[in-house]
Structures are given as C-alpha cells and as structure tokens.
C-alpha cells in the first residue's frame, strides 16, 4: 500500500461519518480511527489519546458567562500545548487569587510552533486554573474560571 | 533622509556608476553637503562600507549585503511596506511588539530587521545565536482580519513554505523542510522561525513572525555547543550569499503566500507544504503526554497538523512538540 493510498483513505474517513476503518490487504493491516471518536483503549495497553486531537469536532463554544454567579470560564480557542509561563524558568502569567484586567495575558497555547498568548476577556479574580502546565489541551477545554469583581 | 541617501547610493552602484558626488546628493535631496556627510557617517556606523574620493564623491561598496532601509527594495503588496532597520536589537520579535504597543494598531506587514540580536529568541525561552553582519534576523507583523485563533497556526506552514522557496531560489542547495517549520541542510538547522500571536478566544489580534537565517556564518561563528545542530548557507554551499538579495526574496515569497492565503484560503499553500515537507513518509519518534512513541508520518491535516500512524496502529494528529526522524 502506498503513502498516497493511505492519505486518500484518511481523507475519505475524515469526510465520512465513519468512526473507524479497518483495512486488511496482503497481510498488512491499517486501522484508522477518527480523532475525537470514542474508541476503546486498544489491547496491549497503548494509551494514545485521540481525544486530545479532537479540535475541529468539538462544538464551537464561546466563553460562557454565568450570570448567576458572575463567573467566566475561559476556554481554549485552539488545540495545542498549554503553558502557564512565557518560559520554563519564568513566573506564571497568573496565579489563583490574582486580579486580572481585560486584555491581560493568562497563558500561552502552543500549536505548530506558534506561541499564542491568550488574553482575559473579563476583569476579575482567578478562581481556578483547570489545565496543567505543558500538557495538551483540546479546543473548547475550560482553562480558567474568573470571578468578575 | 538616511533611507533616501542609501537608496541613491544603491541605485548608483546598480547602474554601474562608481561614484556619486556629495553635491549631487545634496541637490537631489535639497539639503547641505555637511548634512550629507553626517548621514554618510551614520550609514557607515550601521555597516555600510562607503568610499569617499575627493572630486569624485561617494561609492557604496557593499549594497548587496546591506539590510538598511533604502538598500532593500520592497516590491510587495503588504509585507515590508513599512520597514524598520536596527543595527542591533534584543530580538526583532520583541522590537516588533514594542512598535505595536507604542503605535497601537498598525497596518499589515511591518517588517523589523536587525543586523544583530543581543537576545535572539527561540521557543520557550531558548536563545537564538546571532552574528552581526552574517545572518538575517527579521520579524513580520500581521493583522489578518477575521482569522480565528484556531486557524492562526496555519501561519506556521505558510512561513515555512515562503522561506523555503526563497532559500532554494537564492542558494540552489538541497534544503529540507522538517515539520512544522525547521529549515535544515544535511541534518543541521539553517534557520529558525518563531511565531508569536495574541488575542482573545476567537479573535486573533496580531501575529509576529520571527525569522532567523544563518547566512554567511563560518564554522568559527557557530559555538561548539551548537556545531552538531546548526549550520549556515556559507558552510554548506561554500560561498557567501548577498543578504539583501535573500531578504528581498523572503519578503517577496511571504507576501505572495500571505496574499494567496487571504484570498484563496489555506489549501493552495498546504498543497505546496505537503509536497515540500521532508518529514512525510518518514519514520518518526515523538513525545505525547510524557510518553515516547514512534510511527510513520503519513499526512498533513488541513490545519497543518502532522498525521501519524503509530507503531501500535493508532492514527493521531500532532499539533505541537518536536518530532525526530528515525
């Protein structure tokens, strides 16, 4: 099977509603699973997390103001790696308890070597930091909870 | 004024006139000869080699290597239409961001060039080694309208394709484009690209693209600690390359790719990227959630991510981190 054939298959799976495609030919076996699909962990214990690549398949969520509590949840605007500080030896942009202003950087999400500074859309106190430093985040994953002050 | 003088000297050089008199420059620009002399001195301080011969005038010896405003011809639609040159900057990305802060919203396409960086930036606080007069270090500021942040990372393959095209055109060397944006020559790094962006959840405010190319560095210019991973056009190709020419080509290709991206979307660029990316079809090793995997790089996703078939039979898409070719 040639690389082009595999690429064509991937595109076909992507354009379809299929969750998984198993292709066997001349003793070779190819398994394609759509990113974001709920798949059982493969036998043998490999734990590649296809969920984390689910970006485009997640519903488009906006920052979600909860009027009752006056709390905002800042969601990841893109798939990537979450960083709390601009460099490994630098201070984190924010800590729980800090007051942040509109436009103040909260974190970096890196994707494809593009370092994206995510700014706060609200003024308020950081109540919770929900993602772990240097770990992948999904599109729409909650990152910070900010209580408006 | 300095820019106009550099442009006149460059033009005179190009037309084959060896000298242009101070009087002629003064008349052309409507200033005194003493003022001209002052500017000539400052151009010299910024790396211009200018001969001055009594009764003949001035002659710019090294226009091909000069990155000063006025020497670099900008024939682009967007990128480089505003051009700032510094003989020294901490990093051109930091300098570009300072410009943004001071002047608020600027037009698309500001280019900041430095002859040398004192604190060149790599990813995540790593450094980038810069050598005065021998490399090209510049940043491009973009304000792509209506580009959601989830698509901002497409600027990475876009930049990689443009810089690759310029390098191949100017040097003819067998340059490799390693996913996502490393420019390699015979397994060593020739240039780096660092992109920084900022915005709220679904609105990209700006992107700053930093590009550093090791052009005419010699083996001695590269610190021992980097000698296994870094190289230069001069080291690999055996001859120096005029920096001005290479910079103009990079600005030109970036402008073309960016224009195409805004009008036609990412597909034409991605088609090119897929053709050029040397990682495709290779066996690779990578780290994912603190575990090491190996697999086959089989495709480039529509967002630029690297599609991988792991050895355990899973297919996944990488969007960050480093990959190592096996």
């Amino acid at each position: 099977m040639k690389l082009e054939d595999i690429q064509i298959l991937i595109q076909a799976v992507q354009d379809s509603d299929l969750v998984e495609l198993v292709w066997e030919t001349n003793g070779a076996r190819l398994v394609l699973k759509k990113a974001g699909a709920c798949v059982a962990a493969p036998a043998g214990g490999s734990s590649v997390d296809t969920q984390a690549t689910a970006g485009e398949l997640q519903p488009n969520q906006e920052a979600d103001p909860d009027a009752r509590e006056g709390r905002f949840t800042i969601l990841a605007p893109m798939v990537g790696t979450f960083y709390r500080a601009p460099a490994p030896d630098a201070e984190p942009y924010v800590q729980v308890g800090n007051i942040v202003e509109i436009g103040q950087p909260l974190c970096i999400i890196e994707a494809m070597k593009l370092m994206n500074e995510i700014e706060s859309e609200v003024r308020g106190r950081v109540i919770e930091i929900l993602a772990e430093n240097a770990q992948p985040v999904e599109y729409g994953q909650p990152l910070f909870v900010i209580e408006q002050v | 004024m300095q820019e106009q003088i550099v442009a006149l000297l460059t033009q005179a050089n190009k037309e084959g006139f060896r000298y242009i008199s101070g009087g002629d420059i003064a008349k052309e620009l409507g200033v005194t000869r003493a003022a001209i002399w002052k500017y000539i001195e400052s151009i010299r301080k910024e790396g211009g080699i200018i001969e001055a011969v009594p009764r003949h005038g001035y002659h710019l010896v090294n226009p091909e290597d000069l990155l000063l405003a006025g020497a670099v011809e900008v024939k682009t639609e967007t990128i480089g239409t505003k051009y700032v040159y510094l003989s020294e900057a901490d990093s051109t990305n930091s300098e570009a961001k300072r410009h943004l802060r001071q002047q608020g919203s600027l037009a698309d396409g500001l280019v900041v060039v430095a002859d040398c960086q004192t604190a060149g930036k790599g990813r995540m606080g790593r450094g980038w080694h810069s050598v005065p007069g021998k490399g090209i270090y510049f940043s491009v500021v973009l304000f792509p309208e209506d580009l959601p942040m989830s698509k901002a990372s497409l600027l990475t393959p876009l930049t990689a394709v443009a810089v690759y095209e310029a390098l191949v055109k100017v040097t003819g060397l067998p340059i490799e484009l390693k996913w996502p944006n490393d420019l390699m020559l015979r397994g060593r790094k020739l240039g780096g690209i660092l992109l920084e962006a900022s915005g709220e959840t679904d609105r990209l405010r700006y992107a700053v693209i930093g590009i550093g190319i090791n052009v005419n560095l010699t083996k001695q210019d590269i610190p021992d600690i980097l000698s296994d991973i870094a190289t230069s056009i001069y080291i690999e190709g055996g001859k120096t390359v005029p920096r001005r020419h290479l910079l103009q080509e990079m600005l030109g290709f970036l402008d073309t790719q960016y224009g195409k991206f805004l009008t036609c979307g990412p597909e034409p660029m991605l088609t090119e990227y897929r053709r050029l990316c040397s990682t495709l079809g290779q066996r690779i090793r990578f780290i994912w959630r603190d575990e090491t995997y190996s697999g086959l790089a089989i495709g480039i996703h529509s967002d630029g991510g690297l599609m991988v078939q792991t050895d355990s039979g899973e297919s996944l898409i990488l969007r960050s981190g480093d990959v190592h070719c096996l």
Side-chain angles (χ1 to χ4, degrees), chain A residues 10 14 77 81 112 115 117 119, chain B residues 156 195 198 201 301 319-320:
Chain A
I10 288 172
Q14 202 156 29
T81 304
M112 308 276 302
M115 317 304 286
E117 238 177 38
E119 299 170 358
Chain B
T156 297
L195 295 96
S198 182
T201 39
H301 190 260
R319 294 191 177 89
S320 53

Side-chain angles (χ1 to χ4, degrees), chain A residues 53-118:
Chain A
T53 62
E56 300 188 330
L57 302 173
Q58 298 287 326
N60 189 350
Q61 297 169 56
E62 298 282 310
D64 169 31
D66 185 330
R68 196 188 48 201
E69 293 183 48
R71 287 186 177 189
F72 267 79
T73 306
I74 304 279
L75 307 176
M78 54 194 284
V79 184
T81 304
F82 174 82
Y83 291 103
R84 287 189 53 196
D89 54 355
E91 286 292 308
Y93 286 104
V94 291
Q95 303 277 15
V96 170
N98 286 169
I99 300 283
V100 294
E101 301 293 335
I102 293 172
Q104 184 177 332
L106 298 172
C107 64
I108 279 180
I109 297 180
E110 188 234 313
M112 308 276 302
K113 308 275 163 108
L114 175 82
M115 317 304 286
N116 259 303
E117 238 177 38
I118 310 300

Side-chain angles (χ1 to χ4, degrees), chain B residues 89-97 112-114 117 137-139 208 210:
Chain B
D90 48 355
S91 95
T92 56
N93 267 27
S94 302
E95 189 63 38
K97 286 198 278 184
V112 177
V113 182
Q117 300 183 114
Y137 315 106
F138 71 108
S139 294
V208 177

Side-chain angles (χ1 to χ4, degrees), chain B residues 3 69 74 76-86 91-113 137-144 206-211 247 251 254-255 258:
Chain B
E3 182 175 339
V74 180
T76 49
E77 291 272 313
T78 309
I79 288 167
T81 44
K82 191 164 172 13
Y83 184 99
V84 173
Y85 172 88
L86 300 155
S91 95
T92 56
N93 267 27
S94 302
E95 189 63 38
K97 286 198 278 184
R98 276 195 290 274
H99 269 263
L100 283 180
R101 273 197 297 276
Q102 282 162 11
Q103 310 192 8
S105 184
L106 280 169
D108 235 8
L110 165 72
V111 167
V112 177
V113 182
Y137 315 106
F138 71 108
S139 294
V140 179
V141 181
L142 297 177
F143 297 92
Y206 67 80
V208 177
I209 303 175
I211 298 168
L247 177 61
L251 296 181
L254 278 166
D255 195 63
Y258 184 57

Side-chain angles (χ1 to χ4, degrees), chain A residues 112, chain B residues 153-168 175-183 192-193 195 209 211 253-254 257 269 272-273 276-277:
Chain A
M112 308 276 302
Chain B
S153 50
L154 284 165
L155 294 172
T156 297
L158 185 152
T159 306
V161 167
V163 173
Y164 175 95
E165 287 174 314
L167 284 170
V168 168
I175 287 155
E176 284 172 48
L177 172 48
K178 186 183 154 219
W179 184 88
N181 65 356
D182 281 332
L183 297 151
I193 300 170
L195 295 96
I209 303 175
I211 298 168
F253 278 107
L254 278 166
Q257 288 293 349
M269 174 276 289
E272 236 167 306
Y273 184 77
L276 301 176
C277 181

Side-chain angles (χ1 to χ4, degrees), chain A residues 3 6-7 10 14 30-33 42 46-50 52-53 56 60 74-75 77-81 83 85-88 110-119 121 135-136 139, chain B residues 123-125 149-150 152-153 156-157 179-181 195-201 204-205 281 288-291 293 298-299 301-302 304-305 307 309 312-317 319-322:
Chain A
L3 183 60
I6 297 176
Q7 283 171 329
I10 288 172
Q14 202 156 29
L30 174 70
V31 183
L32 297 178
K33 287 177 190 166
S46 163
S47 61
V48 176
D49 191 349
T50 51
T53 62
E56 300 188 330
N60 189 350
I74 304 279
L75 307 176
M78 54 194 284
V79 184
T81 304
Y83 291 103
E110 188 234 313
M112 308 276 302
K113 308 275 163 108
L114 175 82
M115 317 304 286
N116 259 303
E117 238 177 38
I118 310 300
E119 299 170 358
E121 290 157 74
Q135 291 300 321
Y139 182 67
Chain B
R123 218 157 45 89
M124 289 319 287
M149 218 177 223
S150 55
S153 50
T156 297
W179 184 88
N181 65 356
L195 295 96
E196 295 180 86
S198 182
E200 295 168 6
T201 39
L204 181 74
R205 220 154 49 75
W288 180 253
R289 290 188 185 254
D290 302 327
E291 289 206 38
Y293 294 90
I298 54 175
H301 190 260
S302 58
M307 299 155 103
Q309 179 82 35
S312 53
E314 294 293 306
S315 81
L316 65 139
I317 304 171
R319 294 191 177 89
S320 53
D322 289 310

Side-chain angles (χ1 to χ4, degrees), chain B residues 5-187:
Chain B
I5 295 170
V6 172
L8 281 175
L9 288 167
T10 305
Q11 191 60 30
N13 180 294
K14 217 194 286 177
E15 287 166 358
F17 302 121
R18 274 184 58 80
Y19 295 93
I20 177 164
S21 78
D24 285 350
I25 300 175
K27 212 187 306 164
E28 174 95 23
L29 301 177
V31 292
T32 64
R33 291 180 69 158
I36 298 296
W37 181 82
K38 219 176 65 198
Y39 284 115
I40 294 285
E41 280 310 297
S42 82
I43 296 167
R44 282 178 170 150
K45 278 202 192 88
E46 294 185 13
I49 301 172
I50 300 174
E51 286 177 0
V53 176
R55 288 188 303 278
H56 282 84
Y58 299 109
H59 167 63
L60 179 61
V61 178
N62 62 339
E64 287 309 316
D65 211 35
L66 217 52
L67 305 180
L68 283 171
V72 174
E73 264 180 77
V74 180
K75 289 184 187 154
T76 49
E77 291 272 313
T78 309
I79 288 167
T81 44
K82 191 164 172 13
Y83 184 99
V84 173
Y85 172 88
L86 300 155
S87 48
E88 190 179 282
D90 48 355
S91 95
T92 56
N93 267 27
S94 302
E95 189 63 38
K97 286 198 278 184
R98 276 195 290 274
H99 269 263
L100 283 180
R101 273 197 297 276
Q102 282 162 11
Q103 310 192 8
S105 184
L106 280 169
D108 235 8
L110 165 72
V111 167
V112 177
V113 182
D115 193 52
C116 184
Q117 300 183 114
T118 52
K121 284 204 280 190
R123 218 157 45 89
M124 289 319 287
R126 289 178 213 155
W128 180 264
H129 181 69
S130 310
V131 181
K134 296 192 176 179
I136 299 180
Y137 315 106
F138 71 108
S139 294
V140 179
V141 181
L142 297 177
F143 297 92
E145 263 178 59
D146 303 325
L147 186 69
M149 218 177 223
S150 55
K151 298 251 191 291
S153 50
L154 284 165
L155 294 172
T156 297
L158 185 152
T159 306
V161 167
V163 173
Y164 175 95
E165 287 174 314
L167 284 170
V168 168
K169 182 175 172 190
V170 172
T171 69
L173 292 169
I175 287 155
E176 284 172 48
L177 172 48
K178 186 183 154 219
W179 184 88
N181 65 356
D182 281 332
L183 297 151
M184 316 288 289
L185 243 177
R186 302 185 182 109

